[in-house]
Amino acid sequence: MAVTMEKFSVPTFRVATEKNLQEKTITDKDRKYIVRTLATILISYVPHPTMGDCGVAAKALVAKYPFLADTVGKPHFSWMKFISTRCSNVNRGNSVEPQPKKMKLDRIAKHDYPQVSPCDDVSYERNMDRMAKELGKTKPNHDVLVDLMQQTFPNRREWVISEGHHVSVICDKFPLLKSPGHIGKEFEMVVEQPGCQVKFKEAWLSQWTPGILKIAKADGIKVTDEDEPEGIDELPEEFLTQAAFRALVKLIVPPRKVKVSMPLERLLLSVKKGTPYEEIRPPTSHPVIVILRDIDDASQDRFYIMIEQEMLHDTPDFTHALFILLAVHYVFNLEYDTHVQEPLLFLQEFVAGIKDSSLKHSAFFSSVTSRITRQL
């Protein structure tokens, strides 16, 4: 039985949280407590709440405390997802896959992060207020937002690294980080490589895609879906880049890992366009490219990145989705999924040109990458 607004009532929370709600300033601890409380109440109504049920709870919360509303999109959307995730975790018990690990501090230190000091708290809060006001406009000024994201970058970077927040919390505080365009700019600031988005795309399409497909063809590796044209040579560019990545995964993930996991499914999830959001469930909470397939016109396929059940905005094409797949690990400070770290390391080191001396490669990885580079 579905939960309705008439049935659901937001409770009085613990004293500290109620005080912060009245003052319109809640902490991450308050946020998690609110989600846990609402999820518990929902499950008492229905053992397995649907996304619609979670939406009822989220709407009731935002109606009671309007300042909790999202600044972009539906006012209750992020709360609905938080509550849904909590309900799913409770119902799955200990079987739920752990959240992606955060980058180790010693590894972070070895990346060339910008040595820019955070601005003072007053300036930071003033810039955050300006950003919120700009986002609240019917037509936000893109240049103003880019400038404010640059000004707040040092403080944001320090907060992301030191606090270890979930992606949903980061996106809630900085909604622009759901946009691939801003993720790309953030990534360029993190690694101090302006223009690396363009270089990544050029390198993947002109160098690595042909080289990988040559080896795939020689090895008899099938890289097309049943809905795609037969034969690698017949594929248009958009399919070629997808075929190359599928081949890369099959080539570079060690056989011992393939036996215990589904490497391709942990990086690419293909669903039909129109599939309800709540039904899009990757087999991992790590970053995944979600392809919304148009069964009538493949040129209308849409590409998204999903992390911890957080769906980022769509990317213009698959190659850009690959770039964002790599970038979000840096922007949100995430370790690679150990089941599929080899393809991601290839994108990082060979396509993006970001070297990391702290990482040791297996003989298998070195052998495959050597084969590929010889095709250039």
Side-chain angles (χ1 to χ4, degrees), residues 8-73:
F8 193 88
S9 176
V10 176
T12 300
F13 298 108
R14 62 190 179 191
V15 175
T17 299
E18 279 293 336
K19 181 175 181 293
N20 290 338
L21 284 168
Q22 296 305 317
E23 295 176 354
K24 299 183 178 181
T25 170
I26 63 171
T27 65
D28 289 335
K29 187 178 292 186
D30 290 327
R31 190 178 298 275
K32 292 175 183 176
Y33 166 74
I34 291 171
V35 169
R36 287 199 306 271
T37 302
L38 296 182
T40 300
I41 294 173
L42 267 181
I43 292 174
S44 71
Y45 283 122
V46 284
H48 298 279
T50 65
M51 188 66 76
D53 295 330
C54 296
V56 169
K59 287 178 181 177
L61 177 68
V62 171
K64 186 173 182 179
Y65 303 105
F67 80 95
L68 294 178
D70 295 346
T71 54
V72 293

Side-chain angles (χ1 to χ4, degrees), residues 108-133:
I108 292 172
K110 291 177 181 178
H111 286 310
D112 295 325
Y113 287 105
Q115 300 300 309
V116 180
S117 300
C119 58
D120 62 85
D121 291 343
V122 175
S123 298
Y124 175 64
E125 291 301 329
R126 182 169 60 246
N127 285 331
M128 290 295 291
D129 288 342
R130 288 180 59 199
M131 194 183 305
K133 289 179 181 177

